[in-house]
Amino acid sequence: MAAYSLDLRTRVVGACDTGMAPAAVAARFDVSLAWVYRLVQRRRETGSIAPRHQTKFRGRALSRNEEVRLVALIAARPDATLAEQQHALPTRAALSTLWRTIDRLGLTFKKNRTRRRAASS
């Protein structure tokens, strides 16, 4: 979601400065009451009503090449454990990261047929 314009921020703060109730300001400018409170608080604490800079989130732990290699490893040995796949890759990514990547790619681990479930005879 994009940040509200500086023009809208100026009008909202101006309306609050005139003594208008925050709930009325929120209704008039069609914004949330919490946003009005946060905007006034930001101005009080920092002196600015400009939007904060967006943070850039960390990228994926596995590169695209590592993902392709992981898919090939699973296809070659679908009964290998996550730890074995991690060692064969090799990567510093945690087991949980490998599992989330495998899940996101829609892959499954299939155990070999010699390890069948216990069934009633």
Side-chain angles (χ1 to χ4, degrees):
M1 179 178 192
Y4 287 127
S5 69
L6 196 55
D7 177 55
L8 176 64
R9 291 167 181 267
T10 305
R11 288 185 285 142
V12 167
V13 169
C16 287
D17 289 344
T18 62
M20 196 173 187
V25 172
R28 178 177 175 194
F29 293 105
D30 198 27
V31 295
S32 73
L33 180 60
W35 183 78
V36 173
Y37 282 125
R38 283 194 309 268
L39 183 62
V40 172
Q41 179 183 10
R42 182 176 304 135
R43 185 184 65 169
R44 183 176 59 245
E45 292 175 355
T46 66
S48 173
I49 59 171
R52 292 182 299 211
H53 293 288
Q54 293 279 330
T55 58
K56 185 174 181 180
F57 295 100
R58 253 179 37 188
R60 295 196 188 274
L62 293 177
S63 68
R64 182 67 186 139
N65 291 338
E66 289 174 323
E67 286 182 3
V68 170
R69 181 153 163 75
L70 180 63
V71 170
L73 288 170
I74 292 173
R77 284 193 55 209
D79 60 336
T81 64
L82 276 175
E84 291 171 344
Q85 298 288 2
Q86 181 187 32
H87 182 70
L89 198 48
T91 182
R92 293 182 57 180
L95 294 178
S96 58
T97 302
L98 288 179
W99 176 249
R100 282 193 303 271
T101 302
I102 290 168
D103 188 45
R104 182 176 48 80
L105 294 174
L107 301 174
T108 59
F109 278 100
K110 296 292 184 187
K111 299 300 176 189
N112 64 22
R113 297 188 191 281
T114 58
R115 297 183 193 154
R116 294 187 184 152
R117 289 186 175 176
S120 58
S121 54

